[in-house]
Each structure stands twice: as C-alpha cells, then as structure tokens.
Amino acid sequence: MRKKGANGQKSRARLLAVAANEFALSGYHKTKISTIVSRAGLTQPSFYLYFDSKEAVFNELMLKFRSQLKEMVVDSRLESGIQREDVRDVIQNVLRNLFGFLLMDPDLTQIGFFIGEEASEVKEELTRMIAQNLKAEQRDGYFHPEANMDIVAECLVGTIERLTLQELLCGKSTPEYLAEQVVNLYMFGLTSHRD
C-alpha cells in the first residue's frame, strides 16, 4: 500500500526528482535504485511503496515530459486574425516558451528528448504536431503557400534539438536569445537585403 498524505507526496516527489537527475547524469542502465534512495534520504523498501521498478519511475518521467511537451505544442498554434506585423513577435514568443520549457527541468529534458528509448518517437511526434500547426497557419496566410511545412517542421525540430543540447542546457544561450535567432533565420534567412 502506498503512503498517503503530505509526507508520502513529498517522498514520492523527492524520489522522482532524484531519479530524473540520476537518469540524466548516468543514463537508464547505469542508474541504480540504491543510489536513488540514498540520495533521496529514503530506504529501498520506501521506494517500492511508490514505484514497482526503476522502469516504472523512468516511464513516469518520460510520460510527464511527453504530455507537457504535447500540451505546449497544441497550445502554440497561431490564432487566426493576427496582424501581419505581429506574426514575428508571436512566433518568437512561442519559441521562447518552448525553449523555456526545455530549460525549466533540464533532467526531464535529457530523459525525454535525448536519452530515453522513446526520445526519437517524441521528436517524431513533435515534428508531426508542429507540421500540423504550420499547415493550418499556412492556410491562414501567415506563411508562403508553396513552402513544404513537413520539411520546415523537420528542420525546426532538428534546430531545436541541437540548440537545446549545445546552447541551452549548458548555459551558453537563453531561451529569449535562441528564439530570436531561430525566428530571424527561418523568417528572414541568411542573406542581407540591401535596398
């Protein structure tokens, strides 16, 4: 039987946080339940009050990342009727929120986006959702009608993945800066326009 009440919830939350950190640092296979409980200041039997196995903890963390990411992307679709001059700022805000989400819990991001067996599947799902948003936004007239939004979505997810690993999680760049750079690249390209 699982513990009830505030102490039980705190212990469970502590186990999840420590487990996320251990998985992010050591990977799934090298992480041991004994290390998790030791770092959490709990006993191994107390671990089994909340989780059936190491796999159960990892799967819960993966599901948490996946569902939060999905909710964020679903909510990020541009609404109809945005003024053309505001589109850039709205998209930049969406990307800033996405990078902010990925930075908010770096351990969970490592698990869900990079080390979990389902990480590739998560990125494929992310790509599909972004493509759906982009196609709807394209129909609303925000983007060039001939742009292949499936390819744009693939490029965006690749960009987000690489920048998260090389810039965001190691503290080189902020979500704001990365969002600005990505928007400038995708909306204005690399060439300089001279009048």
Side-chain angles (χ1 to χ4, degrees):
M1 179 187 282
R2 291 177 171 33
K3 289 184 180 179
K4 305 275 188 206
N7 285 340
Q9 290 174 351
K10 286 179 186 177
S11 295
R12 188 177 196 286
R14 194 164 56 241
L15 284 167
L16 278 170
V18 170
N21 185 249
E22 281 296 317
F23 290 133
L25 292 173
S26 304
Y28 176 80
H29 296 291
K30 291 184 181 178
T31 296
K32 301 196 179 327
I33 292 173
S34 59
T35 306
I36 294 169
V37 296
S38 175
R39 283 192 52 207
L42 298 168
T43 63
Q44 206 148 342
S46 65
F47 174 90
Y48 291 105
L49 290 172
Y50 306 105
F51 304 103
D52 294 331
S53 63
K54 176 175 79 168
E55 181 181 15
V57 176
F58 191 85
N59 289 341
E60 183 170 330
L61 291 166
M62 190 73 189
L63 181 63
K64 178 181 177 183
F65 176 82
R66 202 171 187 166
S67 62
Q68 289 175 347
L69 182 63
K70 184 176 183 175
E71 182 180 326
M72 170 167 279
V73 174
V74 167
D75 292 343
S76 71
R77 182 169 172 257
L78 302 184
E79 298 174 8
S80 298
I82 296 172
Q83 296 298 313
R84 189 156 191 81
E85 62 270 11
D86 295 331
V87 171
R88 178 191 187 283
D89 290 339
V90 172
I91 293 171
Q92 190 167 320
N93 189 50
V94 165
L95 284 169
R96 181 176 42 248
N97 290 340
L98 177 58
F99 282 120
F101 164 75
L102 295 170
L103 183 60
M104 183 175 51
D105 191 338
D107 294 336
L108 200 57
T109 296
Q110 284 285 354
I111 291 166
F113 222 44
F114 299 107
I115 66 172
E117 287 184 19
E118 297 174 34
S120 292
E121 191 178 305
V122 167
K123 286 178 272 200
E124 287 172 15
E125 182 179 45
L126 177 62
T127 303
R128 282 191 303 275
M129 290 187 301
I130 289 175
Q132 287 173 349
N133 285 356
L134 288 171
K135 289 173 185 177
E137 294 158 356
Q138 187 179 43
R139 287 189 297 274
D140 287 341
Y142 294 127
F143 303 117
H144 193 284
E146 293 179 23
N148 183 325
M149 290 307 178
D150 291 317
I151 292 175
V152 173
E154 290 285 355
C155 292
L156 269 171
V157 171
T159 300
I160 291 164
E161 176 184 18
R162 188 73 182 158
L163 290 176
T164 298
L165 189 60
Q166 296 299 320
E167 296 286 327
L168 187 66
L169 295 181
C170 59
K172 290 181 186 176
S173 297
T174 65
E176 295 77 15
Y177 180 75
L178 293 175
E180 178 183 10
Q181 294 302 307
V182 171
V183 166
N184 286 341
L185 173 63
Y186 282 88
M187 291 189 76
F188 305 113
L190 295 174
T191 59
S192 62
H193 298 283
R194 298 177 192 233
D195 295 327

